[in-house]
PDB file of all heavy atoms in Angstrom:
ATOM      1  N   HIS A1242       4.591  -4.152   6.883  1.00  0.00           N
ATOM      2  CA  HIS A1242       3.408  -4.017   7.762  1.00  0.00           C
ATOM      3  C   HIS A1242       3.727  -3.127   8.957  1.00  0.00           C
ATOM      4  O   HIS A1242       2.858  -2.349   9.408  1.00  0.00           O
ATOM      5  CB  HIS A1242       2.979  -5.439   8.224  1.00  0.00           C
ATOM      6  CG  HIS A1242       1.843  -5.444   9.150  1.00  0.00           C
ATOM      7  ND1 HIS A1242       2.012  -5.493  10.526  1.00  0.00           N
ATOM      8  CD2 HIS A1242       0.504  -5.412   8.924  1.00  0.00           C
ATOM      9  CE1 HIS A1242       0.765  -5.499  11.068  1.00  0.00           C
ATOM     10  NE2 HIS A1242      -0.130  -5.458  10.151  1.00  0.00           N
ATOM     11  N   ALA A1243       4.920  -3.170   9.463  1.00  0.00           N
ATOM     12  CA  ALA A1243       5.306  -2.377  10.645  1.00  0.00           C
ATOM     13  C   ALA A1243       5.315  -0.877  10.293  1.00  0.00           C
ATOM     14  O   ALA A1243       5.325  -0.055  11.243  1.00  0.00           O
ATOM     15  CB  ALA A1243       6.705  -2.801  11.113  1.00  0.00           C
ATOM     16  N   LEU A1244       5.299  -0.507   9.010  1.00  0.00           N
ATOM     17  CA  LEU A1244       5.343   0.895   8.636  1.00  0.00           C
ATOM     18  C   LEU A1244       3.934   1.476   8.294  1.00  0.00           C
ATOM     19  O   LEU A1244       3.860   2.665   7.952  1.00  0.00           O
ATOM     20  CB  LEU A1244       6.243   1.075   7.397  1.00  0.00           C
ATOM     21  CG  LEU A1244       7.682   0.634   7.643  1.00  0.00           C
ATOM     22  CD1 LEU A1244       8.460   0.545   6.305  1.00  0.00           C
ATOM     23  CD2 LEU A1244       8.410   1.591   8.607  1.00  0.00           C
ATOM     24  N   TRP A1245       2.905   0.641   8.331  1.00  0.00           N
ATOM     25  CA  TRP A1245       1.553   1.085   8.006  1.00  0.00           C
ATOM     26  C   TRP A1245       1.008   1.971   9.099  1.00  0.00           C
ATOM     27  O   TRP A1245       1.342   1.792  10.284  1.00  0.00           O
ATOM     28  CB  TRP A1245       0.649  -0.101   7.817  1.00  0.00           C
ATOM     29  CG  TRP A1245       1.008  -0.995   6.664  1.00  0.00           C
ATOM     30  CD1 TRP A1245       2.008  -0.822   5.748  1.00  0.00           C
ATOM     31  CD2 TRP A1245       0.383  -2.232   6.308  1.00  0.00           C
ATOM     32  NE1 TRP A1245       2.012  -1.863   4.843  1.00  0.00           N
ATOM     33  CE2 TRP A1245       1.047  -2.766   5.178  1.00  0.00           C
ATOM     34  CE3 TRP A1245      -0.688  -2.955   6.860  1.00  0.00           C
ATOM     35  CZ2 TRP A1245       0.685  -3.985   4.619  1.00  0.00           C
ATOM     36  CZ3 TRP A1245      -1.045  -4.172   6.270  1.00  0.00           C
ATOM     37  CH2 TRP A1245      -0.382  -4.648   5.171  1.00  0.00           C
ATOM     38  N   PRO A1246       0.090   2.929   8.788  1.00  0.00           N
ATOM     39  CA  PRO A1246      -0.368   3.253   7.436  1.00  0.00           C
ATOM     40  C   PRO A1246       0.690   4.070   6.694  1.00  0.00           C
ATOM     41  O   PRO A1246       1.515   4.768   7.326  1.00  0.00           O
ATOM     42  CB  PRO A1246      -1.627   4.051   7.721  1.00  0.00           C
ATOM     43  CG  PRO A1246      -1.373   4.751   9.006  1.00  0.00           C
ATOM     44  CD  PRO A1246      -0.587   3.735   9.815  1.00  0.00           C
ATOM     45  N   ILE A1247       0.643   4.003   5.412  1.00  0.00           N
ATOM     46  CA  ILE A1247       1.486   4.827   4.514  1.00  0.00           C
ATOM     47  C   ILE A1247       0.720   6.108   4.223  1.00  0.00           C
ATOM     48  O   ILE A1247      -0.386   6.073   3.625  1.00  0.00           O
ATOM     49  CB  ILE A1247       1.821   4.097   3.203  1.00  0.00           C
ATOM     50  CG1 ILE A1247       2.428   2.711   3.523  1.00  0.00           C
ATOM     51  CG2 ILE A1247       2.771   4.946   2.404  1.00  0.00           C
ATOM     52  CD1 ILE A1247       3.693   2.739   4.281  1.00  0.00           C
ATOM     53  N   PHE A1248       1.225   7.244   4.637  1.00  0.00           N
ATOM     54  CA  PHE A1248       0.529   8.527   4.445  1.00  0.00           C
ATOM     55  C   PHE A1248       0.840   9.061   3.042  1.00  0.00           C
ATOM     56  O   PHE A1248       1.903   8.805   2.485  1.00  0.00           O
ATOM     57  CB  PHE A1248       0.971   9.557   5.470  1.00  0.00           C
ATOM     58  CG  PHE A1248       0.370   9.324   6.843  1.00  0.00           C
ATOM     59  CD1 PHE A1248       0.931   8.455   7.728  1.00  0.00           C
ATOM     60  CD2 PHE A1248      -0.808   9.995   7.173  1.00  0.00           C
ATOM     61  CE1 PHE A1248       0.393   8.247   8.958  1.00  0.00           C
ATOM     62  CE2 PHE A1248      -1.384   9.787   8.424  1.00  0.00           C
ATOM     63  CZ  PHE A1248      -0.789   8.914   9.322  1.00  0.00           C
ATOM     64  N   ARG A1249      -0.104   9.785   2.536  1.00  0.00           N
ATOM     65  CA  ARG A1249       0.086  10.501   1.243  1.00  0.00           C
ATOM     66  C   ARG A1249       1.158  11.567   1.498  1.00  0.00           C
ATOM     67  O   ARG A1249       0.996  12.508   2.250  1.00  0.00           O
ATOM     68  CB  ARG A1249      -1.225  11.155   0.782  1.00  0.00           C
ATOM     69  CG  ARG A1249      -1.081  11.845  -0.612  1.00  0.00           C
ATOM     70  CD  ARG A1249      -2.498  12.304  -1.049  1.00  0.00           C
ATOM     71  NE  ARG A1249      -2.430  12.924  -2.373  1.00  0.00           N
ATOM     72  CZ  ARG A1249      -2.262  14.228  -2.546  1.00  0.00           C
ATOM     73  NH1 ARG A1249      -2.179  15.075  -1.495  1.00  0.00           N
ATOM     74  NH2 ARG A1249      -2.172  14.773  -3.761  1.00  0.00           N
ATOM     75  N   ALA A1250       2.306  11.395   0.808  1.00  0.00           N
ATOM     76  CA  ALA A1250       3.458  12.181   1.109  1.00  0.00           C
ATOM     77  C   ALA A1250       3.203  13.670   0.937  1.00  0.00           C
ATOM     78  O   ALA A1250       3.719  14.505   1.744  1.00  0.00           O
ATOM     79  CB  ALA A1250       4.658  11.735   0.193  1.00  0.00           C
ATOM     80  N   ALA A1251       2.466  14.046  -0.059  1.00  0.00           N
ATOM     81  CA  ALA A1251       2.211  15.454  -0.292  1.00  0.00           C
ATOM     82  C   ALA A1251       1.427  16.119   0.847  1.00  0.00           C
ATOM     83  O   ALA A1251       1.519  17.295   1.089  1.00  0.00           O
ATOM     84  CB  ALA A1251       1.456  15.658  -1.613  1.00  0.00           C
ATOM     85  N   ASP A1252       0.662  15.328   1.603  1.00  0.00           N
ATOM     86  CA  ASP A1252      -0.154  15.871   2.686  1.00  0.00           C
ATOM     87  C   ASP A1252       0.615  16.066   3.985  1.00  0.00           C
ATOM     88  O   ASP A1252       0.186  16.792   4.861  1.00  0.00           O
ATOM     89  CB  ASP A1252      -1.351  14.908   2.969  1.00  0.00           C
ATOM     90  CG  ASP A1252      -2.345  14.867   1.851  1.00  0.00           C
ATOM     91  OD1 ASP A1252      -2.331  15.794   0.999  1.00  0.00           O
ATOM     92  OD2 ASP A1252      -3.167  13.920   1.794  1.00  0.00           O
ATOM     93  N   VAL A1253       1.765  15.407   4.137  1.00  0.00           N
ATOM     94  CA  VAL A1253       2.483  15.440   5.419  1.00  0.00           C
ATOM     95  C   VAL A1253       3.920  15.896   5.256  1.00  0.00           C
ATOM     96  O   VAL A1253       4.717  15.804   6.175  1.00  0.00           O
ATOM     97  CB  VAL A1253       2.431  14.066   6.113  1.00  0.00           C
ATOM     98  CG1 VAL A1253       0.981  13.655   6.454  1.00  0.00           C
ATOM     99  CG2 VAL A1253       3.104  13.003   5.245  1.00  0.00           C
ATOM    100  N   ARG A1254       4.282  16.348   4.056  1.00  0.00           N
ATOM    101  CA  ARG A1254       5.647  16.710   3.761  1.00  0.00           C
ATOM    102  C   ARG A1254       6.260  17.685   4.771  1.00  0.00           C
ATOM    103  O   ARG A1254       7.387  17.591   5.205  1.00  0.00           O
ATOM    104  CB  ARG A1254       5.783  17.231   2.336  1.00  0.00           C
ATOM    105  CG  ARG A1254       7.222  17.447   1.865  1.00  0.00           C
ATOM    106  CD  ARG A1254       7.264  18.100   0.498  1.00  0.00           C
ATOM    107  NE  ARG A1254       6.649  17.261  -0.506  1.00  0.00           N
ATOM    108  CZ  ARG A1254       5.599  17.636  -1.207  1.00  0.00           C
ATOM    109  NH1 ARG A1254       5.012  18.818  -1.017  1.00  0.00           N
ATOM    110  NH2 ARG A1254       5.066  16.817  -2.104  1.00  0.00           N
ATOM    111  N   SER A1255       5.460  18.681   5.180  1.00  0.00           N
ATOM    112  CA  SER A1255       5.962  19.745   6.067  1.00  0.00           C
ATOM    113  C   SER A1255       6.177  19.253   7.490  1.00  0.00           C
ATOM    114  O   SER A1255       6.796  19.969   8.279  1.00  0.00           O
ATOM    115  CB  SER A1255       5.010  20.937   6.091  1.00  0.00           C
ATOM    116  OG  SER A1255       3.738  20.545   6.615  1.00  0.00           O
ATOM    117  N   GLY A1256       5.702  18.057   7.834  1.00  0.00           N
ATOM    118  CA  GLY A1256       5.788  17.608   9.216  1.00  0.00           C
ATOM    119  C   GLY A1256       6.873  16.581   9.454  1.00  0.00           C
ATOM    120  O   GLY A1256       6.980  16.038  10.543  1.00  0.00           O
ATOM    121  N   HIS A1257       7.731  16.334   8.441  1.00  0.00           N
ATOM    122  CA  HIS A1257       8.778  15.290   8.627  1.00  0.00           C
ATOM    123  C   HIS A1257       9.798  15.668   9.628  1.00  0.00           C
ATOM    124  O   HIS A1257      10.373  16.804   9.547  1.00  0.00           O
ATOM    125  CB  HIS A1257       9.419  15.011   7.256  1.00  0.00           C
ATOM    126  CG  HIS A1257      10.479  13.971   7.340  1.00  0.00           C
ATOM    127  ND1 HIS A1257      10.218  12.644   7.457  1.00  0.00           N
ATOM    128  CD2 HIS A1257      11.840  14.066   7.279  1.00  0.00           C
ATOM    129  CE1 HIS A1257      11.356  11.940   7.484  1.00  0.00           C
ATOM    130  NE2 HIS A1257      12.335  12.810   7.387  1.00  0.00           N
ATOM    131  N   LEU A1258      10.077  14.831  10.596  1.00  0.00           N
ATOM    132  CA  LEU A1258      11.120  15.049  11.570  1.00  0.00           C
ATOM    133  C   LEU A1258      12.113  13.883  11.442  1.00  0.00           C
ATOM    134  O   LEU A1258      11.784  12.758  11.808  1.00  0.00           O
ATOM    135  CB  LEU A1258      10.575  15.110  12.987  1.00  0.00           C
ATOM    136  CG  LEU A1258       9.614  16.273  13.298  1.00  0.00           C
ATOM    137  CD1 LEU A1258       9.106  16.140  14.741  1.00  0.00           C
ATOM    138  CD2 LEU A1258      10.355  17.577  13.112  1.00  0.00           C
TER     139      LEU A1258
END
Side-chain angles (χ1 to χ4, degrees):
H1242 179 265
L1244 300 168
W1245 297 356
I1247 307 299
F1248 284 85
R1249 183 173 181 268
D1252 292 342
V1253 298
R1254 188 184 299 118
S1255 63
H1257 179 74
L1258 296 177

